[in-house]
Amino acid sequence: ITTLFTVGLVIFICIESIIIYNGNHHDNEKPDYLVVLGAGLRGNSISASLLYRLETALDFHEMYPDVKIVVSGGQGPGESMPEALAMRNFLVDNGVDPSLIIMEDKSTNTYENFLYTKYILEEDTEKDNFTITIISNNFHMYRAKFLAREVGFSTYGYPAPSHKASALVFYVREFSGVIKAYIFKQ
């Protein structure tokens, strides 16, 4: 029992270290596309996690104002519109040219965010190799990058903050999300 506990603890610490590193490392290279992942709406109101992601997208847009932005997120229970539409509206309201925004509004999880985005970009450009910078909250960045690579993207990460009061819970909970991603690729 002690050995199993020790092995489990070592695995937990290693994975949490990777999650924390990726959540604090900002890649500043210019990508082909910026992909902003959805994070839930309450009716038509943007959640705190999604607001952090969108504000970070605006910061990134200031660095590379010509990079197209993919907003990715479908419509879930309790949401009055697809997350992608709410994200697009927020970005346009904050000065982003609508012609720079591509909407992916069918996905229901992180893997689908990237899978459907890849389909849209391949159809739009007739290419199949893209470098993307992902914007998600810091605790979610490692898993997002892992799943994007599984779909076939070359990835950079530009993490958004998370709500400080909930950060510890998010980081600990993300361990099980990473294990699920390793096993089920979603």
Side-chain angles (χ1 to χ4, degrees), residues 21-57:
Y21 171 78
N22 279 273
N24 290 289
H25 178 77
H26 290 77
D27 294 309
N28 292 312
E29 293 83 358
K30 184 177 182 180
D32 297 319
Y33 293 92
L34 176 64
V35 177
V36 186
L37 301 181
L41 302 174
R42 290 180 184 86
N44 61 359
S45 298
I46 292 172
S47 67
S49 290
L50 185 53
L51 180 61
Y52 287 131
R53 293 177 188 192
L54 292 169
E55 289 171 342
T56 302

Side-chain angles (χ1 to χ4, degrees), residues 143-161:
R143 180 164 47 116
K145 288 169 61 176
F146 171 79
L147 291 171
R149 285 191 294 269
E150 288 295 309
V151 169
F153 284 114
S154 297
T155 64
Y156 297 124
Y158 200 82

